[in-house]
Amino acid sequence: MEQKLFDLIYASVLAKEHTYDGIYYTCVRTTRIFCRPSCRARTPYPQNVRFVNSSEEAIELGYRPCKRCKPEEAGKLGPDEVMAAKVDHLIERDLSCPMTLNMLAGQLAVSPFHLQKVYKRVKGYSPADHLQAVRMKEAKSLLAQDRLTVAMIARAVGFRSPSHFTVWFKRDSGCSPRDYRELTGKGIGTNE
Ligand SMILES: [Zn+2]
């Protein structure tokens, strides 16, 4: 597991948040117990933690389920909802990395066809639609902040070329990134 992802999940362990419940499980090497990330019973040191993708995997590795958070019992989410939540998490955690359906499927160890079908059934739209929507939301928010150049924003939302970014942005929102910045920064209708 890459450090960035580890840090993100570990932050939810520290905060005892439910964000990754059902998506990752916290295995604690020192106690050989595994928990939901949100478990209130223990806050393990990061060096003792290993995150796995399923309670079956934790049990296979020799960990016992925590009696307090009962990670072996199904949470609110069924397996399809968990997979869809994992896809969203992979898409949203780093927009600057180009992400394809094949890459998502590879990370979740399922076929691209299966992933697409399950995701669409749960969400009503495709992973690609979600990626586009998240990119656009982030691009608009960065443009409105007026701190980064358009080229920097293009990279931040996963475009290698600012001109591709501009074409995409214009097609989807009806105006260029610069016009959008102009409109949000100064307010429509004022020329000051
Ligand atoms: Zn626990």
PDB file of all heavy atoms in Angstrom, residues 33-36 39-42 66-71, ligand 1:
ATOM      1  N   ILE A  33      -5.251  -8.357  16.513  1.00  0.00           N
ATOM      2  CA  ILE A  33      -6.692  -8.086  16.431  1.00  0.00           C
ATOM      3  C   ILE A  33      -6.937  -7.214  15.203  1.00  0.00           C
ATOM      4  O   ILE A  33      -6.084  -6.389  14.861  1.00  0.00           O
ATOM      5  CB  ILE A  33      -7.157  -7.308  17.692  1.00  0.00           C
ATOM      6  CG1 ILE A  33      -6.867  -8.099  18.963  1.00  0.00           C
ATOM      7  CG2 ILE A  33      -8.610  -6.858  17.591  1.00  0.00           C
ATOM      8  CD1 ILE A  33      -7.969  -8.918  19.514  1.00  0.00           C
ATOM      9  N   PHE A  34      -8.077  -7.425  14.539  1.00  0.00           N
ATOM     10  CA  PHE A  34      -8.421  -6.468  13.475  1.00  0.00           C
ATOM     11  C   PHE A  34      -9.740  -5.770  13.768  1.00  0.00           C
ATOM     12  O   PHE A  34     -10.616  -6.326  14.423  1.00  0.00           O
ATOM     13  CB  PHE A  34      -8.397  -7.105  12.088  1.00  0.00           C
ATOM     14  CG  PHE A  34      -9.568  -8.002  11.747  1.00  0.00           C
ATOM     15  CD1 PHE A  34     -10.625  -7.540  10.985  1.00  0.00           C
ATOM     16  CD2 PHE A  34      -9.575  -9.327  12.157  1.00  0.00           C
ATOM     17  CE1 PHE A  34     -11.692  -8.369  10.640  1.00  0.00           C
ATOM     18  CE2 PHE A  34     -10.639 -10.166  11.828  1.00  0.00           C
ATOM     19  CZ  PHE A  34     -11.695  -9.686  11.065  1.00  0.00           C
ATOM     20  N   CYS A  35      -9.825  -4.506  13.289  1.00  0.00           N
ATOM     21  CA  CYS A  35     -10.922  -3.603  13.632  1.00  0.00           C
ATOM     22  C   CYS A  35     -11.461  -2.918  12.386  1.00  0.00           C
ATOM     23  O   CYS A  35     -10.825  -2.909  11.342  1.00  0.00           O
ATOM     24  CB  CYS A  35     -10.407  -2.482  14.543  1.00  0.00           C
ATOM     25  SG  CYS A  35     -10.151  -2.986  16.251  1.00  0.00           S
ATOM     26  N   ARG A  36     -12.630  -2.294  12.544  1.00  0.00           N
ATOM     27  CA  ARG A  36     -13.044  -1.297  11.567  1.00  0.00           C
ATOM     28  C   ARG A  36     -12.172  -0.064  11.804  1.00  0.00           C
ATOM     29  O   ARG A  36     -11.810   0.206  12.964  1.00  0.00           O
ATOM     30  CB  ARG A  36     -14.505  -0.896  11.798  1.00  0.00           C
ATOM     31  CG  ARG A  36     -15.485  -2.033  11.641  1.00  0.00           C
ATOM     32  CD  ARG A  36     -16.882  -1.594  12.109  1.00  0.00           C
ATOM     33  NE  ARG A  36     -17.743  -2.749  12.261  1.00  0.00           N
ATOM     34  CZ  ARG A  36     -18.560  -3.204  11.304  1.00  0.00           C
ATOM     35  NH1 ARG A  36     -18.636  -2.566  10.164  1.00  0.00           N
ATOM     36  NH2 ARG A  36     -19.298  -4.272  11.499  1.00  0.00           N
ATOM     37  N   CYS A  39     -13.016   2.087  14.822  1.00  0.00           N
ATOM     38  CA  CYS A  39     -13.125   1.464  16.152  1.00  0.00           C
ATOM     39  C   CYS A  39     -12.756   2.433  17.276  1.00  0.00           C
ATOM     40  O   CYS A  39     -11.731   3.108  17.223  1.00  0.00           O
ATOM     41  CB  CYS A  39     -12.218   0.239  16.239  1.00  0.00           C
ATOM     42  SG  CYS A  39     -12.387  -0.598  17.847  1.00  0.00           S
ATOM     43  N   ARG A  40     -13.613   2.477  18.299  1.00  0.00           N
ATOM     44  CA  ARG A  40     -13.369   3.390  19.413  1.00  0.00           C
ATOM     45  C   ARG A  40     -12.557   2.730  20.529  1.00  0.00           C
ATOM     46  O   ARG A  40     -12.152   3.381  21.474  1.00  0.00           O
ATOM     47  CB  ARG A  40     -14.708   3.888  19.983  1.00  0.00           C
ATOM     48  CG  ARG A  40     -15.505   4.593  18.925  1.00  0.00           C
ATOM     49  CD  ARG A  40     -16.642   5.430  19.465  1.00  0.00           C
ATOM     50  NE  ARG A  40     -17.008   6.401  18.440  1.00  0.00           N
ATOM     51  CZ  ARG A  40     -16.474   7.613  18.335  1.00  0.00           C
ATOM     52  NH1 ARG A  40     -15.594   8.032  19.214  1.00  0.00           N
ATOM     53  NH2 ARG A  40     -16.826   8.422  17.364  1.00  0.00           N
ATOM     54  N   ALA A  41     -12.330   1.422  20.403  1.00  0.00           N
ATOM     55  CA  ALA A  41     -11.653   0.710  21.487  1.00  0.00           C
ATOM     56  C   ALA A  41     -10.148   0.970  21.500  1.00  0.00           C
ATOM     57  O   ALA A  41      -9.533   0.983  22.548  1.00  0.00           O
ATOM     58  CB  ALA A  41     -11.922  -0.786  21.367  1.00  0.00           C
ATOM     59  N   ARG A  42      -9.552   1.150  20.348  1.00  0.00           N
ATOM     60  CA  ARG A  42      -8.093   1.263  20.330  1.00  0.00           C
ATOM     61  C   ARG A  42      -7.623   2.204  19.227  1.00  0.00           C
ATOM     62  O   ARG A  42      -8.221   2.287  18.171  1.00  0.00           O
ATOM     63  CB  ARG A  42      -7.456  -0.120  20.148  1.00  0.00           C
ATOM     64  CG  ARG A  42      -7.769  -0.765  18.810  1.00  0.00           C
ATOM     65  CD  ARG A  42      -7.397  -2.228  18.770  1.00  0.00           C
ATOM     66  NE  ARG A  42      -8.454  -3.049  19.340  1.00  0.00           N
ATOM     67  CZ  ARG A  42      -8.280  -3.903  20.348  1.00  0.00           C
ATOM     68  NH1 ARG A  42      -7.105  -4.061  20.882  1.00  0.00           N
ATOM     69  NH2 ARG A  42      -9.297  -4.610  20.800  1.00  0.00           N
ATOM     70  N   CYS A  66     -12.099  -7.797  16.465  1.00  0.00           N
ATOM     71  CA  CYS A  66     -12.255  -7.037  17.702  1.00  0.00           C
ATOM     72  C   CYS A  66     -13.658  -7.266  18.263  1.00  0.00           C
ATOM     73  O   CYS A  66     -14.635  -7.281  17.521  1.00  0.00           O
ATOM     74  CB  CYS A  66     -12.046  -5.560  17.375  1.00  0.00           C
ATOM     75  SG  CYS A  66     -12.527  -4.416  18.657  1.00  0.00           S
ATOM     76  N   LYS A  67     -13.750  -7.431  19.579  1.00  0.00           N
ATOM     77  CA  LYS A  67     -15.059  -7.699  20.197  1.00  0.00           C
ATOM     78  C   LYS A  67     -15.898  -6.432  20.281  1.00  0.00           C
ATOM     79  O   LYS A  67     -17.109  -6.481  20.386  1.00  0.00           O
ATOM     80  CB  LYS A  67     -14.862  -8.274  21.604  1.00  0.00           C
ATOM     81  CG  LYS A  67     -14.300  -9.689  21.579  1.00  0.00           C
ATOM     82  CD  LYS A  67     -14.606 -10.417  22.884  1.00  0.00           C
ATOM     83  CE  LYS A  67     -14.348 -11.913  22.776  1.00  0.00           C
ATOM     84  NZ  LYS A  67     -12.911 -12.220  22.525  1.00  0.00           N
ATOM     85  N   ARG A  68     -15.231  -5.285  20.245  1.00  0.00           N
ATOM     86  CA  ARG A  68     -15.949  -4.024  20.394  1.00  0.00           C
ATOM     87  C   ARG A  68     -16.604  -3.586  19.073  1.00  0.00           C
ATOM     88  O   ARG A  68     -17.791  -3.317  19.025  1.00  0.00           O
ATOM     89  CB  ARG A  68     -14.949  -2.962  20.872  1.00  0.00           C
ATOM     90  CG  ARG A  68     -15.513  -1.579  21.007  1.00  0.00           C
ATOM     91  CD  ARG A  68     -15.910  -1.270  22.424  1.00  0.00           C
ATOM     92  NE  ARG A  68     -16.409   0.092  22.511  1.00  0.00           N
ATOM     93  CZ  ARG A  68     -15.734   1.087  23.057  1.00  0.00           C
ATOM     94  NH1 ARG A  68     -14.547   0.875  23.588  1.00  0.00           N
ATOM     95  NH2 ARG A  68     -16.260   2.291  23.097  1.00  0.00           N
ATOM     96  N   CYS A  69     -15.827  -3.528  17.978  1.00  0.00           N
ATOM     97  CA  CYS A  69     -16.400  -2.987  16.723  1.00  0.00           C
ATOM     98  C   CYS A  69     -16.904  -4.078  15.793  1.00  0.00           C
ATOM     99  O   CYS A  69     -17.510  -3.780  14.763  1.00  0.00           O
ATOM    100  CB  CYS A  69     -15.384  -2.090  16.019  1.00  0.00           C
ATOM    101  SG  CYS A  69     -13.922  -2.956  15.424  1.00  0.00           S
ATOM    102  N   LYS A  70     -16.670  -5.370  16.139  1.00  0.00           N
ATOM    103  CA  LYS A  70     -17.170  -6.506  15.375  1.00  0.00           C
ATOM    104  C   LYS A  70     -17.004  -6.339  13.851  1.00  0.00           C
ATOM    105  O   LYS A  70     -17.991  -6.262  13.106  1.00  0.00           O
ATOM    106  CB  LYS A  70     -18.647  -6.746  15.716  1.00  0.00           C
ATOM    107  CG  LYS A  70     -18.884  -7.045  17.193  1.00  0.00           C
ATOM    108  CD  LYS A  70     -20.327  -7.472  17.416  1.00  0.00           C
ATOM    109  CE  LYS A  70     -20.601  -8.036  18.785  1.00  0.00           C
ATOM    110  NZ  LYS A  70     -20.045  -7.290  19.919  1.00  0.00           N
ATOM    111  N   PRO A  71     -15.766  -6.266  13.401  1.00  0.00           N
ATOM    112  CA  PRO A  71     -15.522  -5.974  11.980  1.00  0.00           C
ATOM    113  C   PRO A  71     -15.957  -7.104  11.048  1.00  0.00           C
ATOM    114  O   PRO A  71     -16.115  -6.892   9.850  1.00  0.00           O
ATOM    115  CB  PRO A  71     -13.996  -5.797  11.926  1.00  0.00           C
ATOM    116  CG  PRO A  71     -13.487  -6.595  13.075  1.00  0.00           C
ATOM    117  CD  PRO A  71     -14.524  -6.474  14.149  1.00  0.00           C
TER     118      PRO A  71
HETATM  119 ZN    ZN B   1     -12.311  -2.694  17.166  1.00  0.00          ZN
END
